[in-house]
Amino acid sequence: MTKQEERELAARLVKEIGRMAEQADHTLRFMEVCGTHTVAIFRAGLRQMLPPKVELVSGPGCPVCVTPDDYMDKAITYAKRDDVILTTFGDMLKVPGSTSSLMEAKAEGADIRIVYSPLDSLQVAKENPDKKVIFLAVGFETTAPTAAATVLAAREQGLTNLYMLSAQKLVPPALRALLDDPEVRVDGFILPGHVSVITGTEVFSFLVDEYHMPGVVTGFEPLQILRSLYRLMKQVTEGAARIENEYGSVVHPGGSPAARKATELVYEPTDAAWRGIGVIPESGLRMRDAFGAYDIERLLPLDVPMGKNKPGCRCGEVLRGIVTPKECPLFGKVCVPTHAVGPCMVSVEGVCAAWYKYGQGRFEYGR
């Protein structure tokens, strides 16, 4: 398809979405729960293409953003130990804890190393047998299999100095918590593509069965997102609720059996705290007892109090789609990407960071 054909198809989709929106008796709100979708929507200016009665809101789709302060406080405390090397993805460095960040700890001498995969931590552990190498296992279903594979590889190789500080989250329980929240109003979900590659589409069937809530799994190109919105609008107009798949080239109903098997072998569901939402039952992952030797919190437990929200920061409400970043009094003033107050401004997938970088967004087809 040429760029001109893409433009023409986009225009037709927007026109048809507008036609269906005219039949609605209220403004329809569709929530994406994937940080990559958030960035793609802003970069392409999709919000500005849609009619006034169709609103896109961002949910808790950024794993860094939903990680609470006490996790960061634990990571910083471990990092400051002389016998520890901390390995992490780069976007964790600037995430604020209660009083500090990993970047500040690193500047003060902590041995913190950026890796591009949990598996990179294996080599660090081999090269530093006298150190405890701790990987910050933060993410959704997408990254959990790689963390599990790292633990399995460490056991196979006989490494006894590699550990995980786990904070993986599961998306379906978060969607349930949002729908049970009286302050949250959505008419359908743009479901995460990367997560669905692992989980498949069947895990979202409860949206239909229990809440009569439509959802569409989609990819990350503007046209894919527009087609998912068209599908959502069509369901709402019909009074229907289905889980549809706009990303069928890579997402299958049962997901990735191999990836799910690795995760289920190493991890089991547990209650987990989400920034802005609170503790959600069975929404996180912890290591099974058989792999407890790789869990740093079992070896060296820390008693770190739950972090308090920073005064004025509305990141938690942003993550629930209750307010937009521009309704936060700190946004663009004391909270900017180079000096973030809350994690929604830190991560490249954060809603506040996307608002700050792209403003109201712009249409970029053909660029």
Side-chain angles (χ1 to χ4, degrees), residues 79-82 84 102-112 131:
K80 289 182 176 180
R81 290 176 58 102
D82 293 335
V84 163
L102 290 173
M103 180 169 287
E104 292 175 67
K106 183 175 176 64
E108 293 169 0
D111 193 344
I112 302 172
K131 298 281 189 177

Side-chain angles (χ1 to χ4, degrees), residues 62-367:
C62 163
V64 172
C65 303
V66 300
T67 302
D69 285 350
D70 65 316
Y71 176 86
M72 297 309 305
D73 293 340
K74 289 178 184 178
I76 293 165
T77 301
Y78 284 127
K80 289 182 176 180
R81 290 176 58 102
D82 293 335
D83 61 343
V84 163
I85 297 174
L86 207 70
T87 58
T88 179
F89 297 136
D91 59 356
M92 295 295 292
L93 287 182
K94 294 182 180 180
V95 179
S98 296
T99 60
S100 182
S101 68
L102 290 173
M103 180 169 287
E104 292 175 67
K106 183 175 176 64
E108 293 169 0
D111 193 344
I112 302 172
R113 307 185 187 185
I114 296 174
V115 294
Y116 298 97
S117 165
L119 292 165
D120 295 339
S121 302
L122 293 169
Q123 188 62 34
V124 178
K126 290 177 185 177
E127 294 173 353
N128 299 272
D130 59 332
K131 298 281 189 177
K132 297 177 179 65
V133 178
I134 305 173
F135 175 71
L136 302 188
V138 173
F140 293 140
E141 290 93 339
T142 314
T143 56
T146 312
T150 302
V151 172
L152 293 171
R155 186 174 69 171
E156 182 179 345
Q157 297 173 26
L159 289 173
T160 59
N161 64 323
L162 179 65
Y163 306 91
M164 298 281 157
L165 180 59
S166 297
Q168 287 100 336
K169 300 289 195 295
L170 304 175
V171 170
L175 300 186
R176 185 186 299 277
L178 288 173
L179 291 173
D180 289 339
D181 186 337
E183 292 188 272
V184 176
R185 187 183 68 78
V186 295
D187 295 282
F189 286 104
I190 300 173
L191 296 170
H194 290 149
V195 166
S196 299
V197 170
I198 305 299
T199 66
T201 57
E202 295 170 354
V203 299
F204 299 112
S205 61
F206 75 94
L207 294 174
V208 174
D209 298 338
E210 299 178 31
Y211 297 94
H212 195 70
M213 179 65 59
V216 179
V217 175
T218 193
F220 307 94
E221 295 298 321
L223 277 176
Q224 291 176 318
I225 297 171
L226 279 176
R227 282 197 294 262
S228 72
L229 285 171
Y230 169 80
R231 287 179 179 233
L232 287 169
M233 287 295 302
K234 196 167 187 297
Q235 289 192 53
V236 170
T237 301
E238 297 171 350
R242 299 182 294 273
I243 302 300
E244 299 184 10
N245 188 0
E246 181 58 44
Y247 206 24
S249 59
V250 293
V251 172
H252 307 291
S256 170
R260 293 173 68 178
K261 182 179 179 180
T263 300
E264 291 167 5
L265 179 62
V266 176
Y267 289 102
E268 62 184 356
T270 186
D271 298 350
W274 294 60
R275 186 185 301 272
I277 302 177
V279 176
I280 304 176
E282 303 280 287
S283 68
L285 294 174
R286 67 182 174 192
M287 287 191 185
R288 296 184 183 275
D289 290 341
F291 294 92
Y294 300 94
D295 184 349
I296 191 62
E297 292 194 86
R298 299 195 193 193
L299 176 69
L300 297 172
L302 296 177
D303 185 14
V304 175
M306 181 69 72
K308 297 181 179 179
N309 291 334
K310 296 172 177 61
C313 177
R314 303 188 72 180
C315 181
E317 294 166 275
V318 169
L319 291 169
R320 292 154 62 207
I322 294 175
V323 301
T324 66
K326 289 191 174 182
E327 293 175 81
C328 176
L330 308 184
F331 176 80
K333 301 178 179 69
V334 298
C335 185
V336 295
T338 54
H339 188 272
V341 175
C344 292
M345 184 64 84
V346 173
S347 174
V348 293
E349 294 186 342
V351 184
C352 293
W355 273 75
Y356 187 88
K357 183 174 182 179
Y358 296 106
Q360 290 299 312
R362 57 187 182 277
F363 185 46
E364 293 191 347
Y365 283 106
R367 287 194 58 177

Side-chain angles (χ1 to χ4, degrees), residues 3-14 40-50 221-223 226 358-367:
K3 292 297 181 182
Q4 181 59 34
E5 289 172 332
E6 288 183 358
R7 288 177 180 272
E8 292 172 355
L9 176 55
R12 291 198 298 273
L13 287 168
V14 170
I41 287 167
F42 272 99
R43 184 184 295 127
L46 297 187
R47 279 179 169 83
Q48 286 62 58
M49 296 174 62
L50 299 174
E221 295 298 321
L223 277 176
L226 279 176
Y358 296 106
Q360 290 299 312
R362 57 187 182 277
F363 185 46
E364 293 191 347
Y365 283 106
R367 287 194 58 177

